[in-house]
Amino acid sequence: MSVPILPTISTSFIVLSAILIAIGWVLIKQKKIEAHKKTMIAAAISALLFFIIYISRTVFLGNTAFGGPEHLRMYYTIFLVFHIILATSGAVFGIITLIAGFSNKLERHRKIAPITSIIWFFVAITGVIVYLLLYVFYSGGPTTSVIKAILNNQ
């Protein structure tokens, strides 16, 4: 079985970003502020690299439709929409959290950072599940535009 290179790389960046966020969380609990900052910047860069690869692939190649059994298609689609909403809100929370940290609004940063982290952990987990469903457990369906893939209009 072979897996497509770009989705594998982009999914790896999401997983890496979540791991870095967990490391950053440990570092700040240990009061290692500079190490925390550097780790969180690396996590943000990793998430940004995912986004760049994902958008580039979407624009130039399209997205892969679910290729699993028809009776699972509706469940996959609901799960995918949940993942997309989670990822979008996680990205917005992430930007707000980074801005609060870098602008020294530390009270706000401390308040929203744990929420942001938990959302991002779920983004990473659901992203890996989407990847596994599309490329590992089942052969991917046709590659097409995002809208067609979500609506299953092939």
Side-chain angles (χ1 to χ4, degrees):
M1 169 186 32
S2 69
V3 291
I5 191 74
L6 288 178
T8 303
I9 293 170
S10 64
T11 302
S12 298
F13 277 121
I14 281 300
V15 171
L16 178 61
S17 71
I19 290 168
L20 289 168
I21 287 169
I23 292 168
W25 206 344
V26 169
L27 289 169
I28 202 61
K29 293 287 184 194
Q30 296 172 345
K31 308 264 190 259
K32 297 179 180 176
I33 295 168
E34 282 307 309
H36 169 77
K37 282 182 184 178
K38 289 176 183 174
T39 303
M40 299 315 261
I41 290 169
I45 290 169
S46 180
L48 182 61
L49 287 171
F50 157 79
F51 186 69
I52 290 168
I53 293 168
Y54 175 80
I55 290 297
S56 298
R57 183 174 183 275
T58 300
V59 168
F60 295 110
L61 302 175
N63 268 359
T64 303
F66 181 64
E70 189 61 38
H71 71 278
L72 294 179
R73 187 176 304 276
M74 180 182 70
Y75 300 108
Y76 169 79
T77 301
I78 292 167
F79 186 81
L80 178 62
V81 169
F82 172 73
H83 168 71
I84 291 168
I85 292 168
L86 204 58
T88 303
S89 63
V92 171
F93 267 87
I95 291 166
I96 292 168
T97 303
L98 286 168
I99 290 170
F102 284 114
S103 60
N104 255 354
K105 296 179 180 167
L106 298 182
E107 186 61 38
R108 181 177 192 189
H109 181 78
R110 283 185 200 107
K111 188 179 288 186
I112 62 173
I115 297 165
T116 304
S117 299
I118 291 167
I119 291 170
W120 202 252
F121 295 144
F122 280 105
V123 168
I125 292 165
T126 59
V128 169
I129 293 169
V130 167
Y131 170 82
L132 292 172
L133 289 170
L134 282 180
Y135 304 109
V136 177
F137 298 153
Y138 305 107
S139 296
T143 298
T144 185
S145 72
V146 177
I147 299 300
K148 286 183 179 179
I150 290 172
L151 299 175
N152 295 310
N153 297 332
Q154 299 156 8

